[in-house]
Amino acid sequence: MRKIFSLKTMKHLLFLSYLLTITLFLQGQTTRKETVALKVQHEPVIDGKLDESFWMQTVAAKDFVQNEPNNGLPSNYQTHVHIVYSNYAIYIGALMFDPSPDSIMKQMSRRDELGQTDYFGISIDPFNDGLNGYTFVVSSGNIQFDALQSQEEDPSWDAVWNSEVSITDEGWVAEIEIPYSALRFPKKPVQKWGINMARNVQRTREKSFWNHVDAKIDGYLKQSGQLLGIENIEPPIRLSLTPYLAGYVQKNQNIESFDYSLRGGLDLKYGINESYTLDMMLIPDFGQVESDNKEFNISAFETYYEEKRPFFTEGTELFNKGEIFYSRRIGSVKDDYQSSLAANTNEVVTINPQETDLINVTKISGRGNNGLGVGILNGMAGAAYATLKDTLTGTSRKVQTQPFTNYNVLVFDQSLKNNSFVSITNTNYLQPATSYVGNVSSTHLRFENKKGTYALEGIAGFSYLDGLGHNSSTGGSYALNLEKIQGNFRFEVENSLIGKTFNANDLGYIEKTDIMETKAEVAYNIYTPFWRMLKWYNNLEFNRSSLFSINKKMGNALEFSSFTTFRNYLSINLDAEFNIGKYNDFYEARTDGRVFVRPPVYAVGAFVSPDYRKKFVIDVKGGYWSAYNENINGYWLGVMPIIRFSDRFSLNGGIDFNLDHNDEGFAGKTKNSDTIYMAQRDVRTLINYATANFIFNSKMALSLKVRHYWRLINYSRFYTLSQEGELIPEDTYHTNDVNSNFFNIDLVYTWRFAPGSEMGIVWKNAIAHEDDFSVFNYARNLNQLFEQGNQNSLSVRVVYYLDYLQVKKLRTSA
């Protein structure tokens, strides 16, 4: 019998059939999936078993689609999600089928820290605008993660919800209860929520979604499906009280005796209506907040520290609109903290707090049916005082370093069609005693076209400062960019200006003023596997900056980066930067109108990260920079091991070393003349850090964090700075070398003994030391450091969560 089709022809036909199937599948994803929730009279017992009969009466949401590694293909694992609701909460029952349940990865971690584990998550967008939502994730070890979704994900937000999981012969099960008090939704008889579900299978690194989230499209919420069937539910009375009691034992290096204190306070949350919530802290306490990663700063700009205080990290996405709010300003001392406080040479400063005691902090935030988001934040801080001691007489006195201060932030943010928005933000910093006010306003807008392929974004700011015996000043700023946000090929063009007199630093953070920048960026990303790669992202950027007031070029820079993940999950990131021509630095001289002309430099770097599923891995980073045709260069190297001894016990850390050879920078200046001294120096920075976590269960954990920062500065040559910005050798000027150390230990035990309720026991040890011993000898430096006085504190803090709805529910059932 004659063959009609050859084997080769059959392969071609099968391949075309496969392509046709995938094409039709992807075309089907252009519409939003829908699923329906079922109302139940009796609420399920959250035990991770789904043994109530009503679970199987619902139509399961299934047929998940991969986001990684094969963007757009069907998931290799079946996932069935059932949704029911009551008058109190919405319930999710998820069945994650897995042919190898004994291989499910379930590393334990602290809350909000998902490690090497399988997980299931659900995102809810109650106003169905594609801009704002809530994400709830539970791991196969029942570790909870939650976040607010807006332009960026805010994982610092914590809600009170319930979950349980179980491993079965067919895979694993997650059962979740989300009280309505954790959500904000419109008051109307029929709800129509945006919704999406995600599943991660860690051993195969597959991440999939119920409604396909295309990796080639920016924006997660706007790619959600829809949840129907929820009817006749009322936005609940959202009222919760969280009283706390904290005891502290502290030992300061300058004080011989121990200091004991007992503090108590109250956090209150009240739902003003279905959309807006009042959060209030009465007598705030942040004594158990993780220590800052301090450093010895030799740059012309203030060190930026990450906000770690829970009240200022949770649910503050509205307040970040406009980019003029830096919450670390609230309660910080800025006026006389750095000034000379001693009246004579016999006085020494024994206590000089960097922060004031906050009296009260209040915020109102939320979003209404019409898409209008409102945020109001107010904080009041008491006066701060430094203590000075006379070494001859032994007497002490106090000096005020900052008076009573009021902080206020106001935001209006209107959601628009096509995932767009426009917002207005105002910050106000007020010191009544000095009649000083710092007022800054900003308008922030973003428009996307209907297809979500292009976006136009702009920010404009205005500042007004008055008081402290100075004339009032005003200033302005803006930034405007156009970008292509979808597809393999993307681009962005941006122009920005920060005026010379624009000052948002009372309640914001800005490094450079009087600067105009123009940026052009192109990117080409591959999101699906090819050859030996799983994905490949490439980016090329050109940046030009100038001093705006005199239209003087500062510099031109070209940057390139490439990130690749291979099929064995080895990831490599390559970076290169080239300054085109000399760089006119108008900031390093620390004097208005003066410039320091730097030579052109180039820098190359790399970061290598292996497959994190292994028990032991080491991340490595390194790089080199150099000035063209000059003996000015440097390198950096980092080694970061991660060890998982078991699913409960893990250790990670690192060693970072950086050397800048013959680095040139500011050294000092005279008070009564315009002479500016510069220096050439070797700057060595060594940072050692380690974190050990032992997780007893999903509610109890022990964590140890240790960090040692060491910076050594050796001066070799000194110069004066000419009016043209050149360095002129100077033999008479000298300044001492610097040997600076910061050492911190944070030992933290946490026990979440009830939903929203927690006990924490924290021990902190801190050492800071600075001298001019400039020999690069780590062992000697460490021995000398531990001979210094240190600061120790031990605290016990108990927080108890009282929810009105839960109390009412218990009373009703009783």
Side-chain angles (χ1 to χ4, degrees):
M1 185 179 198
R2 187 171 60 90
K3 292 183 179 180
I4 301 175
F5 298 110
S6 67
L7 181 61
K8 185 175 181 180
T9 304
M10 286 292 292
K11 288 182 177 180
H12 282 299
L13 289 174
L14 287 172
F15 180 69
L16 289 173
S17 175
Y18 173 78
L19 289 180
L20 179 60
T21 301
I22 295 304
T23 301
L24 292 174
F25 179 85
L26 293 178
Q27 287 177 347
Q29 298 301 300
T30 58
T31 58
R32 301 173 67 181
K33 286 184 177 180
E34 294 181 347
T35 190
V36 180
L38 173 70
K39 188 167 187 178
V40 294
Q41 300 301 319
H42 301 286
E43 296 159 350
V45 177
I46 306 302
D47 54 10
K49 294 181 180 179
L50 302 190
D51 48 8
E52 292 87 356
S53 60
F54 54 70
W55 282 118
M56 295 306 112
Q57 295 174 16
T58 66
V59 178
K62 52 187 178 180
D63 298 329
F64 280 46
V65 184
Q66 290 186 55
N67 173 267
E68 292 181 358
N70 298 291
N71 180 44
L73 295 186
S75 171
N76 293 308
Y77 303 88
Q78 281 294 313
T79 304
H80 294 177
V81 182
H82 304 267
I83 301 176
V84 300
Y85 71 100
S86 69
N87 291 327
Y88 169 74
I90 184 171
Y91 303 88
I92 299 94
L95 301 169
M96 274 71 67
F97 296 96
D98 194 313
S100 304
D102 56 340
S103 299
I104 294 172
M105 298 186 69
K106 47 185 182 294
Q107 181 189 3
M108 304 292 285
S109 61
R110 297 193 303 173
R111 195 180 195 276
D112 287 333
E113 294 181 1
L114 297 173
Q116 299 306 303
T117 181
D118 287 28
Y119 62 76
F120 168 81
I122 182 168
S123 291
I124 300 174
D125 176 6
F127 292 93
N128 209 7
D129 60 7
L131 283 173
N132 305 279
Y134 309 85
T135 292
F136 304 89
V137 179
V138 61
S139 77
S140 54
N142 200 31
I143 302 299
Q144 292 184 350
F145 171 95
D146 44 25
L148 282 180
Q149 301 288 345
S150 56
Q151 266 194 296
E152 296 180 356
E153 185 175 80
D154 178 12
S156 61
W157 175 75
D158 280 336
V160 178
W161 50 291
N162 195 13
S163 67
E164 286 295 340
V165 302
S166 63
I167 306 295
T168 70
D169 293 337
E170 296 181 321
W172 67 287
V173 180
E175 194 172 17
I176 298 172
E177 174 190 53
I178 304 173
Y180 295 139
S181 56
L183 305 172
R184 299 171 188 174
F185 53 88
K187 186 176 183 179
K188 53 186 181 181
V190 178
Q191 302 286 331
K192 190 175 183 180
W193 294 354
I195 195 170
N196 211 347
M197 284 78 74
R199 180 182 177 183
N200 181 70
V201 181
Q202 188 62 20
R203 71 177 183 277
T204 60
R205 299 285 283 266
E206 181 190 289
K207 182 185 294 184
S208 59
F209 292 86
W210 170 62
N211 199 87
H212 178 41
V213 175
D214 193 340
K216 292 187 285 187
I217 299 176
D218 271 3
Y220 165 68
L221 281 180
K222 69 182 183 182
Q223 301 185 67
S224 297
Q226 296 188 104
L227 177 63
L228 309 177
I230 298 181
E231 299 179 358
N232 301 317
I233 62 169
E234 291 290 330
I237 296 175
R238 289 180 288 114
L239 173 62
S240 65
L241 302 176
T242 312
Y244 77 85
L245 185 65
Y248 291 86
V249 180
Q250 296 177 306
K251 177 68 170 63
N252 191 293
Q253 60 182 351
N254 296 318
I255 300 177
E256 295 180 359
S257 61
F258 287 89
D259 180 31
Y260 303 89
S261 62
L262 186 65
R263 305 175 190 174
L266 178 72
D267 296 353
L268 178 147
K269 288 183 183 289
Y270 173 66
I272 300 172
N273 56 29
E274 70 272 14
S275 301
Y276 301 102
T277 302
L278 166 70
D279 293 333
M280 180 179 292
M281 295 187 70
L282 303 175
I283 315 177
D285 173 63
F286 301 113
Q288 291 195 337
V289 172
E290 181 184 330
S291 301
D292 286 324
N293 292 331
K294 293 187 176 181
E295 61 183 52
F296 185 83
N297 187 356
I298 59 173
S299 76
F301 310 108
E302 172 191 7
T303 302
Y304 182 91
Y305 288 114
E306 178 186 355
E307 178 63 87
K308 298 177 181 179
R309 299 172 295 179
F311 185 86
F312 297 106
T313 60
E314 295 175 1
T316 56
E317 75 287 349
L318 265 175
F319 300 98
N320 295 325
K321 294 290 179 77
E323 301 182 358
I324 57 173
F325 177 52
Y326 174 42
S327 59
R328 284 296 295 260
R329 300 294 187 201
I330 297 179
S332 65
V333 177
K334 75 180 187 69
D335 287 343
D336 295 321
Y337 175 76
Q338 299 292 347
S339 63
S340 178
L341 300 174
N344 56 66
T345 56
N346 299 327
E347 286 189 320
V348 295
V349 178
T350 57
I351 300 176
N352 197 0
Q354 300 179 46
E355 298 178 348
T356 63
D357 289 329
L358 289 173
I359 301 170
N360 172 273
V361 187
T362 304
K363 65 183 175 186
I364 298 174
S365 60
R367 190 172 299 274
N369 293 343
N370 57 1
L372 177 63
V374 177
I376 303 172
L377 189 150
N378 181 266
M380 293 182 288
Y385 296 88
T387 301
L388 284 74
K389 182 178 181 180
D390 192 307
T391 57
L392 296 180
T393 64
T395 59
S396 297
R397 65 186 181 95
K398 290 187 175 182
V399 177
Q400 187 180 90
T401 55
Q402 180 158 299
F404 169 85
T405 306
N406 185 80
Y407 314 85
N408 194 74
V409 186
L410 176 63
V411 184
F412 295 99
D413 176 57
Q414 179 63 58
S415 299
L416 304 173
K417 291 182 179 180
N418 303 326
N419 308 292
S420 304
F421 68 85
V422 58
S423 67
I424 298 175
T425 305
N426 176 266
T427 64
N428 187 277
Y429 178 97
L430 175 65
Q431 289 182 348
T434 61
S435 300
Y436 175 77
V437 61
N439 193 284
V440 184
S441 296
S442 175
T443 299
H444 189 176
L445 55 87
R446 179 180 175 87
F447 299 112
E448 291 187 19
N449 67 331
K450 188 174 183 179
K451 293 183 178 180
T453 51
Y454 296 92
L456 177 68
E457 187 167 3
I459 299 177
F462 177 80
S463 67
Y464 171 81
L465 279 63
D466 191 22
L468 294 177
H470 303 293
N471 294 328
S472 63
S473 65
T474 60
S477 68
Y478 77 82
L480 185 65
N481 72 69
L482 173 68
E483 54 184 324
K484 183 177 183 291
I485 59 175
Q486 189 177 127
N488 299 91
F489 173 75
R490 304 189 184 195
F491 69 82
E492 179 180 359
V493 290
E494 178 178 313
N495 180 258
S496 64
L497 167 66
I498 301 178
K500 186 175 183 178
T501 56
F502 181 75
N503 189 341
N505 279 334
D506 288 318
L507 262 174
Y509 180 89
I510 294 176
E511 285 190 345
K512 299 177 181 179
T513 60
D514 196 17
I515 182 172
M516 174 174 277
E517 291 186 288
T518 301
K519 180 177 74 172
E521 179 180 348
V522 293
Y524 188 80
N525 304 327
I526 299 177
Y527 303 96
T528 53
F530 74 102
W531 188 51
R532 297 180 180 178
M533 300 179 182
L534 289 176
K535 54 187 175 182
W536 190 19
Y537 302 160
N538 298 279
N539 189 81
L540 181 65
E541 177 183 323
F542 173 78
N543 187 292
R544 176 182 175 84
S545 58
S546 62
L547 197 70
F548 179 73
S549 59
I550 59 176
N551 194 27
K552 176 72 172 180
K553 185 194 80 169
M554 295 173 63
N556 298 325
L558 190 65
E559 300 179 26
F560 172 75
S561 65
S562 180
F563 174 80
T564 305
T565 297
F566 294 92
R567 291 184 184 268
N568 62 356
Y569 292 99
L570 174 71
S571 295
I572 298 178
N573 189 81
L574 303 175
D575 292 289
E577 180 177 356
F578 304 90
N579 284 349
I580 304 171
K582 294 183 178 181
Y583 181 78
N584 296 313
D585 190 336
F586 289 93
Y587 306 99
E588 186 62 26
R590 324 287 167 96
T591 304
D592 188 32
R594 299 294 296 274
V595 63
F596 168 42
V597 180
R598 294 183 180 272
V601 301
Y602 68 89
V604 292
F607 180 87
V608 180
S609 179
D611 185 355
Y612 279 4
R613 295 172 299 178
K614 297 179 180 178
K615 295 285 187 180
F616 175 65
V617 296
I618 300 178
D619 290 341
V620 179
K621 64 180 179 180
Y624 176 81
W625 70 271
S626 178
Y628 294 99
N629 302 319
E630 296 194 32
N631 187 25
I632 302 174
N633 51 56
Y635 66 88
W636 64 93
L637 179 66
V639 179
M640 295 142 283
I642 302 173
I643 308 174
R644 287 191 295 117
F645 297 99
S646 69
D647 284 339
R648 298 181 184 276
F649 181 33
S650 63
L651 175 67
N652 65 80
I655 302 174
D656 288 350
F657 180 73
N658 187 95
L659 169 63
D660 293 332
H661 174 62
N662 286 337
D663 174 60
E664 296 173 335
F666 178 82
K669 62 179 180 180
T670 57
K671 293 183 178 180
N672 300 321
S673 71
D674 60 354
T675 303
I676 298 172
Y677 296 102
M678 307 291 286
Q680 198 169 66
R681 65 257 173 133
D682 286 348
V683 182
R684 296 179 178 87
T685 306
L686 179 64
I687 306 175
N688 296 313
Y689 54 94
T691 300
N693 288 316
F694 188 85
I695 313 300
F696 298 94
N697 52 49
S698 61
K699 310 256 185 325
M700 189 183 299
L702 182 66
S703 175
L704 174 67
K705 293 187 176 182
V706 182
R707 177 181 182 267
H708 177 215
Y709 171 95
W710 181 29
R711 171 160 281 184
L712 196 65
I713 304 176
N714 299 100
Y715 291 96
S716 55
R717 298 179 182 85
F718 294 94
Y719 307 87
T720 58
L721 185 66
S722 72
Q723 293 294 331
E724 293 75 26
E726 304 296 333
L727 298 181
I728 303 173
E730 168 60 54
D731 297 329
T732 61
Y733 183 82
H734 178 76
T735 188
N736 292 332
D737 292 342
V738 176
N739 178 43
S740 176
N741 286 269
F742 294 102
F743 182 86
N744 292 90
I745 299 176
D746 286 32
L747 179 62
V748 181
Y749 168 81
T750 56
W751 174 32
R752 185 167 286 240
F753 56 87
S757 303
E758 188 174 274
M759 181 180 75
I761 303 175
V762 176
W763 172 58
K764 292 184 179 183
N765 177 277
I767 308 174
H769 178 65
E770 180 183 330
D771 59 29
D772 59 359
F773 184 81
S774 57
V775 177
F776 187 69
N777 186 321
Y778 185 75
R780 184 192 184 283
N781 175 75
L782 202 61
N783 289 332
Q784 185 181 12
L785 176 65
F786 289 150
E787 292 175 356
Q788 308 303 314
N790 56 34
Q791 293 180 326
N792 273 282
S793 72
L794 177 66
S795 62
V796 179
R797 189 172 189 265
V798 179
V799 177
Y800 194 78
Y801 177 78
L802 295 168
D803 179 64
Y804 168 80
L805 284 182
Q806 187 66 31
V807 174
K808 181 180 177 181
K809 181 181 174 184
L810 291 174
R811 290 182 62 185
T812 302
S813 61

